[in-house]
């Protein structure tokens, strides 16, 4: 038999055939940027594992196994289990939730010390951050613009419930030294906050060079211009990795029940101590919430925030269940019609 000789470089074959562990640094339509011990590259998904199988589609920060191809045709075989992640409802309902950033240790929640500062939004971000499984840290950015830092710090403390708070300025460098404790090699930090609060400016200030594009906020209302459009994983000189995100408009609050418990520990510790176990906290005697509100140990704003977020989560869960049932009905109708 005349065997055709394999002329491929053996070094490359072993690279191609031995799966390597890699980290996803950015996600494009059907291409994924990654970094691994052999270098950086772009990869596509192995169809049989992802489109026909049940593998979770990789997101920024994910660890994956891939067949590395130095010529640019690497193929992702498997998404490794995530230790933390943010998720949103998947537009493709058969797959339930969809992760939008994964495997981070800290969530830097950023609010700027101008028109952006808003306690309700901070509480919402804290709920999402706790839900992810990582540790939240609150950064009050653009401290150089603020003349009344103490009062902002006090307001933030009321909702942060013991979460570390750091006033910082990417412009003057104020507070950046204090962040070094989080930037240890092997750690990943995700930046969360509205457009224009200075997330990318902080990434650049910590990196010591311009890694991300930034843009002026609008003069009229201080709103950002959605400059960062992609989630991106960046290596800092300190050894830590940072995931810069677009203003997190895209992150709905979905199934964040345990995040709510953590973010509102003060409210949670009161619930269940009312005289009646099914207390509605409206007219019943012996209501711990009403007592705390009357004593001033729980502020009405905080209680309202809790109720609002709780309602939103319940609504999102109900909607999800409804859509899931609708989808199941459609599938069984299709099966009945075609496989009678
Ligand atoms: N004065 C002052 N301005 C800042 C500071 N940090 C950022 N800015 C300005 O705020 C504007 C928005 O900054 P970006 O870093 O683009 O904000 P972003 O949060 O990344 O915005 P998106 O990418 O749209 O989500 C830019 O004009 C920055 O120069 C700061 O510490 N002090
Ligand atoms: Mg940005």
């Amino acid at each position: 038999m005349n065997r055709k000789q394999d002329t491929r470089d053996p070094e490359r074959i072993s690279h191609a055939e031995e799966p390597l562990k890699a980290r996803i640094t950015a996600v494009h339509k059907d291409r994924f940027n990654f970094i691994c011990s052999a270098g950086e590259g772009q990869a596509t998904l192995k169809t049989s594992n992802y489109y026909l199988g049940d593998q979770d589609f990789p997101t920024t920060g994910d660890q994956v196994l891939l067949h590395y191809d130095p010529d640019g045709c690497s193929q992702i075989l498997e998404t490794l289990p995530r230790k933390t992640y943010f998720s949103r409802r998947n537009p493709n309902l058969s797959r339930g939730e969809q992760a939008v950033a994964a495997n981070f240790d800290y969530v830097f929640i950023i609010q700027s010390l101008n028109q952006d500062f808003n306690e309700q939004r901070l509480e919402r971000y804290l709920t999402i951050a706790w839900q992810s499984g990582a540790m939240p840290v609150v950064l009050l950015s653009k401290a150089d613009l603020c003349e009344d830092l103490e009062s902002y710090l006090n307001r933030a403390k009321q909702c942060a419930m013991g979460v570390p708070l750091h006033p910082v300025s990417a412009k003057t460098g104020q507070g950046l030294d204090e962040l070094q404790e989080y930037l240890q090699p092997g750690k990943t930090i995700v930046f969360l906050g509205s457009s224009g609060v200075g997330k990318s400016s902080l990434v650049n200030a910590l990196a010591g060079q311009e890694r991300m594009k930034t843009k002026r906020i609008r003069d009229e209302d201080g709103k950002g211009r959605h400059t960062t459009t992609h989630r991106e994983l960046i290596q800092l000189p300190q050894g830590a990795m940072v995931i810069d995100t677009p203003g997190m408009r895209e992150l709905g609050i979905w199934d964040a029940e345990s995040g709510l418990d953590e973010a509102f520990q003060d409210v949670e510790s009161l619930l269940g101590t009312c005289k009646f176990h099914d207390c509605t906290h409206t007219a019943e005697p012996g209501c711990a919430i009403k007592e705390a509100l009357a004593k001033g140990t729980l502020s009405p704003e905080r209680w309202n925030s809790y109720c609002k977020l709780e309602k939103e989560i319940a609504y999102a869960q109900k909607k999800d269940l409804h859509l899931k049932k609708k989808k199941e009905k459609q599938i069984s109708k299709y099966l009945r019609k075609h496989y009678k």
Side-chain angles (χ1 to χ4, degrees):
M1 194 169 65
N2 191 7
R3 248 204 206 132
K4 208 172 153 194
Q5 205 177 353
D6 193 343
T7 54
R8 293 179 295 169
D9 175 351
E11 176 71 29
R12 290 195 165 182
I13 297 169
S14 73
H15 262 314
E17 287 171 4
E18 190 72 27
L20 279 185
K21 206 164 159 185
R23 189 131 194 234
I24 302 297
T25 54
V27 177
H28 304 286
K29 223 174 181 173
D30 54 358
R31 297 210 142 246
F32 298 79
N33 293 9
F34 66 84
I35 184 164
C36 67
S37 56
E40 294 180 23
Q42 273 210 334
T44 52
L45 300 176
K46 187 173 166 76
T47 309
S48 55
N49 294 5
Y50 282 90
Y51 295 99
L52 306 174
D54 58 358
Q55 282 291 316
D56 274 340
F57 286 99
T59 189
T60 309
D62 259 331
Q63 305 269 13
V64 295
L65 285 183
L66 51 72
H67 274 318
Y68 179 70
D69 177 352
D71 294 332
C73 299
S74 299
Q75 206 178 36
I76 302 172
L77 309 171
E78 194 181 325
T79 308
L80 297 175
R82 299 171 174 132
K83 62 175 187 188
T84 58
Y85 61 96
F86 289 134
S87 71
R88 64 175 169 200
R89 189 183 296 112
N90 194 333
N92 172 7
L93 278 166
S94 61
R95 280 179 178 262
E97 64 180 6
Q98 178 186 38
V100 292
N103 296 323
F104 39 86
D105 301 277
Y106 299 106
V107 181
F108 281 7
I109 298 170
I110 305 167
Q111 290 228 315
S112 57
L113 291 166
N114 57 2
Q115 299 101 306
D116 176 70
F117 186 85
N118 176 304
E119 280 103 332
Q120 281 75 43
R121 196 175 314 124
L122 186 53
E123 284 164 336
R124 170 179 293 260
Y125 280 140
L126 281 162
T127 303
I128 294 173
W130 280 120
Q131 179 68 19
S132 73
M135 290 297 299
V137 176
V138 176
L139 306 193
L140 299 175
S141 63
K142 308 195 187 182
D144 58 289
L145 297 179
C146 181
E147 287 170 2
D148 190 11
L149 190 58
E150 272 309 302
S151 94
Y152 278 105
L153 273 173
N154 281 332
R155 282 169 61 192
K157 253 185 218 157
Q158 302 296 318
C159 18
M161 306 251 67
V163 167
L165 274 175
H166 300 281
V168 294
S169 166
K171 195 168 175 187
T172 64
Q174 178 185 342
L176 300 190
D177 280 349
E178 286 174 33
L179 303 184
Q180 301 304 324
E181 66 171 292
Y182 307 105
L183 306 176
Q184 303 297 320
K187 298 285 180 203
T188 301
I189 297 116
V190 66
F191 282 31
L192 196 64
S194 309
S195 175
V197 295
K199 299 179 294 296
S200 301
S201 304
L202 273 169
V203 170
N204 293 342
L206 294 170
Q209 56 173 295
E210 190 175 326
R211 300 289 304 273
M212 299 297 298
K213 258 209 253 162
T214 64
K215 221 185 251 175
R216 271 173 65 89
I217 52 177
R218 291 200 304 237
D219 290 332
E220 319 86 82
D221 55 7
K223 291 236 185 309
R225 297 165 195 257
H226 299 282
T227 312
T228 307
T229 52
H230 257 88
R231 293 175 291 275
E232 198 167 332
L233 183 78
I234 294 153
Q235 172 101 49
L236 293 183
Q238 295 88 336
M241 310 280 267
V242 162
I243 303 178
D244 191 10
T245 63
M248 289 304 251
R249 226 176 9 183
E250 56 174 8
L251 253 193
I253 190 155
W254 178 65
D255 196 14
E257 228 171 320
S258 66
L260 193 70
D261 296 354
E262 297 268 13
F264 288 85
Q265 287 162 30
D266 49 344
V267 177
E268 285 292 328
S269 67
L270 292 171
L271 295 170
T273 63
C274 299
K275 188 171 172 194
F276 298 105
H277 77 277
D278 55 352
C279 185
T280 60
H281 319 297
T282 49
E284 296 88 340
C287 169
I289 297 287
K290 278 201 310 180
E291 275 168 23
L293 286 168
K295 268 196 252 163
T297 48
L298 175 67
S299 74
E301 291 83 13
R302 190 137 170 95
W303 174 236
N304 287 341
S305 287
Y306 177 86
C307 295
K308 195 167 165 233
L309 284 172
E310 195 193 30
K311 238 189 233 163
E312 256 181 64
I313 293 168
Y315 175 75
Q317 286 172 343
K318 219 163 114 189
K319 193 166 154 195
D320 198 54
L321 195 70
H322 171 73
L323 290 172
K324 234 183 229 160
K325 278 192 180 151
K326 199 169 150 190
K327 184 100 184 171
E328 277 166 13
K329 258 191 199 162
Q330 281 171 347
I331 294 173
S332 65
K333 198 170 158 191
Y334 175 87
L335 291 174
R336 272 202 310 275
K337 193 169 162 192
H338 292 272
Y339 298 98
K340 254 195 283 193

